[in-house]
Amino acid sequence: MTPKEVLQFAAEHDAKMVDLKFLDFIGIWQHFSVPLSELTEDSFEEGFGFDGSSIRGWQPIHASDMLVIPDPKTAQIDPFMEVPTLSLICNIVDPITKEPYTRDPRHIAQKAEAYMKSTGIADTAYFGPEAEFFVLDDIRFDSKENCGYYFLDSKEGRWNTGREENPNLGYKPRYKEGYFPVPPTDSLQDLRTEMVMVMMSLGISVEAQHHEVASGGQCEIDMKYSPLVEMGDKLMWYKYIVKNVARKHGKTVTFMPKPVFGDNGSGMHTHQSLWKDGKPLFAGDLYGGLSELALYYIGGILKHAPAICAFAAPTTNSYKRLVPGYEAPVRLAYSSRNRSAAVRVPMYSPSPKAKRIEVRFPDPSCNGYLAFAAMLMAGLDGIENKIDPGDPLDKDIYSLGPEELASVPSLPASLDGALDALEKDHDFLLKGDVFTPDVIETWIEYKRTNEIDQIRLRPHPYEFALYFDV
């Protein structure tokens, strides 16, 4: 839409308010609202002011003024506001220089797309994330000087088979057996369908929805692939819709990678492919039906995977998922069909248009704009430098002996390790000024200070079981 068309769209839907949405540095949507009368065609150039010092990882207090500039192409009617509300996703601009803010994740994703086009390699990068999540009925947590705990619950949780529910009707998915059971074992079918209906009402194409492997309400809804920035926008709508539909029904949703001990965690397997002039570039006659260019792209992903993890698996909790035994792709290998490899080549369709790769180590706690941009930059680096991904690994990686495993590198075992990798290996991200040194440094400092150190300083509840009586 043009700015004029956005105003017409708002009038047609009797909108009374305008909600201005943008992403903080870490990856959570922020917003503020203005009356519709405040939105004019000039607003799409002049923007609206706000305090950037109150946003995580952004401006210092002595340089706090920032502008949000609405993107007219993102206009929607918010499906959850009681008063009809026009929703606009915004870019962030410095009010003095009028330059895009370098720490704005959406701007970083836009620069990644621009860099890709500047190389002449491709004109479109398609991304299709499969973001998994848990639907819970109760969540409590706290951390104080003298206590620290969490408690979560789900009516579906296998741990509740013996609970008095007056009556307890059973049908709770067994651990690791939550994949595809029909109702009543899958009690969330209608809830997911409502989520899908809301997504489709906003123009988000959905390919499937289903229960996932873990007990305790693990689910997945698959969106159809879209170009990088557009998919970044859709992923934010996805999280917003899933959380708000669940809340409407008295439930809550978490995108934490590993909220439940002893069962599968939530990943965000990310399908991706490059196209140019309307033609797919990943289809060919090499391994798995891939082209040489696609294999080089995989080579870039595998080479830079430890650094990519700092953005694609960006929480301390991420590495409680990335352990062997729960379908977690901890080994840096690629394979057709094999879900234990870091990169899979899906074999569902022989069509060249369907040829893609699936990067399996990201999780849905990530900032999608940054994770997608980092993967694209790694893949492009692989193509530019003709990085050989080596031989595919078509065996079950978890069944390999020590000698065979020794030759297969692994992902970092912690967020600290991923940040160390990013510190050593980030030149590929700096190309085209996509990620700036300031962005890399700020990300590393924020994660170490606000997450890693905070976890490191606190006793863990299980440490009392291990060590109280020493």
Side-chain angles (χ1 to χ4, degrees), residues 79-106:
F80 300 107
M81 304 293 187
E82 184 175 341
V83 173
T85 299
L86 175 71
S87 175
L88 292 164
I89 299 175
C90 302
N91 296 313
I92 310 302
V93 167
D94 185 289
I96 306 301
T97 66
K98 301 298 183 183
E99 292 294 319
Y101 186 41
T102 56
R103 294 186 195 174
D104 176 11
R106 195 166 189 262

Side-chain angles (χ1 to χ4, degrees), residues 121 274 281-282 286 290-298 379 382-383:
I121 292 170
L274 299 183
L281 300 181
F282 277 13
L286 301 178
L290 294 176
S291 64
E292 184 178 54
L293 180 142
L295 289 172
Y296 288 148
Y297 189 100
I298 292 173
I383 294 168

Side-chain angles (χ1 to χ4, degrees), residues 419-438:
L419 295 175
D420 286 345
L422 178 62
E423 216 164 25
K424 297 172 184 175
D425 175 28
H426 58 256
D427 286 350
F428 71 100
L429 296 172
L430 302 180
K431 294 179 181 178
D433 200 37
V434 175
F435 288 77
T436 63
D438 171 70

Side-chain angles (χ1 to χ4, degrees), residues 3-4 7 38-48 69-70:
K4 183 176 182 179
L7 295 176
E38 294 296 306
L39 185 72
T40 67
E41 289 188 49
D42 290 340
S43 301
F44 293 89
E45 292 186 6
E46 297 174 358
F48 297 86
I69 306 294

